[in-house]
Amino acid sequence: METLLGHDRTISSALFEEAKKIFPGGVNSPVRAFKSVLGPPIFIKKGDGCHIWDEDDHQYIDFCCSWGPLILGHNNAHIRESIYAAVAEGTSFGAPTRLEIELGRLIVDNHRYIEKLRFVSSGTEAVMSALRLARGATGKSKVIKFEGCYHGHVDSLLVKAGSGLVTFGESTSAGIPEAFAKETIVLPLNDREKLEETLEQEGHNIACIIVEPIPANNGLLLQDPSFLECLRIKAYKHNVLLIFDEVISGFRVGFEGAAGYYGIKPDILTFGKIIGGGMPVGAYGASAELMGHIAPDGPVYQAGTLSGNPVAMAAGYAALKQLLAPGFYETLNAKTAGFVKALQDFADAKGYPVSFPSVGSIFWVAFARERIIAAEQIDPASMNHFKIMHLELLKRGIYMGPSGYEVGFVSSAHIDADLAQAVEAFKEALDIVFS
Ligand SMILES: *Cc1c(COP(=O)(O)O)cnc(C)c1O
């Protein structure tokens, strides 16, 4: 089977068989199981710069970058040395450390919309805590989320639109009580009328609107900034808090994430991924007044044994410090724009129905010509094209996340020669997809 693919996965396959005996589906996070692409998952043994190597000794240019955290590429020397230095002093104390202040200060001083923050250990935890803060601060319980936005595996947010006039959510996972899903109202992106109607009817029960300002977990559903502005205005009008879930976009499209990129002030921001420099860190931040609701200052309880972990803080600080270097984002974003343009020019010249929406250093391969801004526009059948492309790219030394609904990331470690090599591989893969 491994050789039928034309891509040798002998060792990865054997490891996968072992892993299946220990973990559900052989993995510790579902998408890693390669269910949406061809063949068994490849097991990674190391990474350096923009490259990763699998257990069967293939080398790839990596556009998954650990699903976003590695904006500086793998094994960044400065992050590595900072981690070593922190580890040498001990790995966890469950007590305050100087390192938390350093990372926290760096963020507060360089992000216009954050006065105070709290560190947690994942994006999911950040979102969960932000919802509790919104509910605690407003005394209201319902939440508006948007179809096509992902906010981690928080119970009340693993929901899709149900039927009915005001669409209360239906859970998308077993194990979530209907009562939790009912606390969430799911709306389509970019539908201002539905939003206004819902707020008119239910605003007195709604604590917050949560949105990925750059929805990047269900394709890349780039919104008009005017829609985000509309969320801001309507949230003020109806006394509802606005949460920007910036777990992907934070520190990615600029140091101030999407909020800074669009110049829109959310009430609460959530972070993960890049903030930990490759270690498990999340955070949520807001005005000092709102954060005053959090324990021990206020009545909203939230805690974590490993929160602000010194090794993770050292990694995050070493990463974010590099992002503040003058021109960092300009260079990275321009490089990505050039890469995406080369791909689009090729597809257009060949007349292939594929487009490459992008923002900052995030890009998506959409097997459609029209601009896609809402989840329901994505044709599930187009994922067959992705499947073929994914395998052909692996054969040519290019690693993309194993699902056509996932975006790709360019890091500062991808140099022009790597991107040029990747463009050639994409061209060959697309020729096969459309042959
Ligand atoms: C990845 C992601 C999360 C979840 O973060 P985890 O660290 O995987 O728990 C939440 N929201 C968004 C927008 C994300 O991209």
Side-chain angles (χ1 to χ4, degrees), residues 62-68 212 214-222 248-249 252 273 357-359 361-366 386 399-410:
D62 180 17
F63 287 105
C64 179
C65 294
S66 190
W67 304 102
E212 274 185 89
I214 295 176
N217 279 286
N218 198 309
L220 182 61
L221 308 174
L222 290 175
I248 276 196
S249 54
R252 169 59 67 176
K273 301 197 169 108
S358 74
V359 59
S361 48
I362 309 174
F363 69 98
W364 181 42
V365 184
F386 182 83
Y399 184 80
M400 295 284 290
S403 160
Y405 290 94
E406 303 287 354
V407 295
F409 299 97
V410 177

Side-chain angles (χ1 to χ4, degrees), residues 333-405:
N333 297 354
K335 202 160 62 175
T336 308
F339 171 61
V340 163
K341 182 175 186 305
L343 296 175
Q344 192 66 61
D345 287 349
F346 171 77
D348 291 348
K350 291 271 184 147
Y352 296 152
V354 57
S355 50
F356 302 89
S358 74
V359 59
S361 48
I362 309 174
F363 69 98
W364 181 42
V365 184
F367 286 95
R369 275 205 189 87
E370 79 273 14
R371 182 172 164 224
I372 296 182
I373 58 168
E376 70 269 13
Q377 282 176 275
I378 303 175
D379 177 8
S382 70
M383 293 301 154
N384 285 325
H385 291 325
F386 182 83
K387 238 183 218 186
I388 300 167
M389 184 187 77
H390 189 264
L391 174 63
E392 295 305 325
L393 286 176
L394 284 176
K395 288 190 205 168
R396 289 165 178 79
I398 306 294
Y399 184 80
M400 295 284 290
S403 160
Y405 290 94

Side-chain angles (χ1 to χ4, degrees), residues 36-118:
S36 313
V37 292
L38 299 164
I42 59 173
F43 279 60
I44 308 300
K45 65 177 176 191
K46 74 169 188 176
D48 194 59
C50 74
H51 292 107
I52 51 175
W53 286 264
D54 71 13
E55 291 280 351
D56 290 284
D57 281 327
H58 302 107
Q59 177 184 319
Y60 308 92
I61 297 173
D62 180 17
F63 287 105
C64 179
C65 294
S66 190
W67 304 102
L70 305 184
I71 192 169
L72 295 156
H74 296 268
N75 199 15
N76 176 265
H78 188 49
I79 298 176
R80 184 181 64 235
E81 294 308 319
S82 296
I83 289 174
Y84 286 166
V87 165
E89 305 295 330
T91 56
S92 181
F93 310 110
T97 65
R98 186 182 294 272
L99 292 167
E100 299 163 283
I101 303 177
E102 285 176 3
L103 179 56
R105 169 61 55 205
L106 191 73
I107 295 169
V108 168
D109 282 351
N110 291 286
H111 197 304
R112 74 191 96 157
Y113 302 131
I114 301 175
E115 288 176 357
K116 281 194 175 180
L117 77 168
R118 169 67 61 83

Side-chain angles (χ1 to χ4, degrees), residues 59-346:
Q59 177 184 319
Y60 308 92
I61 297 173
D62 180 17
F63 287 105
C64 179
C65 294
S66 190
W67 304 102
L70 305 184
I71 192 169
L72 295 156
H74 296 268
N75 199 15
N76 176 265
H78 188 49
I79 298 176
R80 184 181 64 235
E81 294 308 319
S82 296
I83 289 174
Y84 286 166
V87 165
E89 305 295 330
T91 56
S92 181
F93 310 110
T97 65
R98 186 182 294 272
L99 292 167
E100 299 163 283
I101 303 177
E102 285 176 3
L103 179 56
R105 169 61 55 205
L106 191 73
I107 295 169
V108 168
D109 282 351
N110 291 286
H111 197 304
R112 74 191 96 157
Y113 302 131
I114 301 175
E115 288 176 357
K116 281 194 175 180
L117 77 168
R118 169 67 61 83
F119 288 119
V120 293
S121 299
S122 72
T124 296
E125 214 187 325
V127 169
M128 198 182 78
S129 309
L131 290 189
R132 187 176 304 144
L133 169 57
R135 286 167 162 155
T138 59
K140 301 192 273 183
S141 75
K142 290 199 194 306
V143 169
I144 291 179
K145 85 168 277 265
F146 296 93
E147 195 82 57
C149 287
Y150 174 71
H151 303 290
H153 63 94
V154 180
D155 273 338
S156 62
L157 296 179
L158 281 182
V159 293
K160 62 177 190 311
S163 45
L165 263 182
V166 171
T167 49
F168 293 109
E170 272 172 24
S171 75
T172 54
S173 164
I176 296 174
E178 276 311 307
F180 289 15
K182 291 264 178 300
E183 292 299 309
T184 306
I185 299 168
V186 185
L187 298 179
L189 281 163
N190 201 38
D191 188 334
R192 294 155 213 231
E193 275 153 41
K194 243 198 184 123
L195 176 72
E196 179 59 32
E197 196 182 295
T198 306
L199 286 167
E200 288 289 346
Q201 284 177 35
E202 285 288 328
H204 55 288
N205 291 321
I206 296 171
C208 61
I209 299 170
I210 184 166
V211 68
E212 274 185 89
I214 295 176
N217 279 286
N218 198 309
L220 182 61
L221 308 174
L222 290 175
Q223 300 300 296
D224 287 328
S226 64
F227 176 65
L228 300 172
E229 277 157 20
C230 167
L231 293 181
R232 177 62 284 176
I233 291 163
K234 291 198 191 300
Y236 279 140
K237 178 175 163 200
H238 294 275
N239 213 9
V240 161
L241 296 176
L242 177 62
I243 303 178
F244 273 8
D245 180 355
E246 299 237 36
V247 173
I248 276 196
S249 54
F251 311 104
R252 169 59 67 176
V253 295
F255 195 89
E256 294 179 300
Y261 190 82
Y262 296 120
I264 297 173
K265 178 184 184 291
D267 297 299
I268 307 174
L269 299 100
T270 58
F271 300 101
K273 301 197 169 108
I274 290 175
I275 198 173
M279 298 289 284
V281 180
Y284 60 104
S287 65
E289 188 201 346
L290 259 182
M291 292 304 281
H293 288 88
I294 300 294
D297 284 350
V300 178
Y301 187 72
Q302 188 274 309
T305 301
L306 292 171
S307 293
N309 173 267
V311 181
M313 293 293 107
Y317 182 82
L320 297 201
K321 191 86 184 149
Q322 293 177 71
L323 307 186
L324 286 168
F328 177 86
Y329 287 103
E330 287 78 359
T331 306
L332 178 60
N333 297 354
K335 202 160 62 175
T336 308
F339 171 61
V340 163
K341 182 175 186 305
L343 296 175
Q344 192 66 61
D345 287 349
F346 171 77

